Amino acid sequence: LSAAPAVRAGAPLEAERIEFWLWFDRLSDALTSRQREVLLLRYQSDLTDAEIGRILGLSEPGVRSLASRAISSLRQHPELLR
């Protein structure tokens, strides 16, 4: 019998997910708190624009606009321009 520890099939994927969110946390300093919140609700919590709108007190188009501005800001981040 092997003494090697069992590795969960999803472990590498989970490690990549954690690494991504740590990276996002560093980049998100360039965002306003509302921009950061809308991206976290959309991509980490996987909520719809309607659900995010209810949480943040915005219309669905307002959520999309805020998310678009946040993504645009991140695209201009110096770490991404290298």
Side-chain angles (χ1 to χ4, degrees):
L1 292 174
S2 173
V7 176
R8 290 187 3 244
L13 184 58
E14 183 62 21
E16 289 175 11
R17 179 176 155 82
I18 291 168
E19 186 176 329
F20 170 81
W21 287 110
L22 290 172
W23 172 79
F24 175 82
D25 188 52
R26 288 191 308 274
L27 288 183
S28 70
D29 288 341
L31 303 175
T32 67
S33 60
R34 300 265 297 173
Q35 289 173 333
R36 184 174 27 262
E37 190 171 14
V38 76
L39 292 182
L40 288 173
L41 290 169
R42 178 180 277 181
Y43 297 112
Q44 193 173 52
S45 299
D46 200 28
L47 299 180
T48 66
D49 290 346
E51 292 167 324
I52 295 167
R54 281 192 295 278
I55 292 168
L56 298 180
L58 297 170
S59 64
E60 288 182 50
V63 169
R64 288 189 290 273
S65 177
L66 185 60
S68 177
R69 287 193 310 272
I71 291 168
S72 180
S73 292
L74 288 178
R75 286 185 178 136
Q76 301 305 312
H77 194 284
E79 187 172 321
L80 297 178
L81 296 176
R82 292 185 212 175

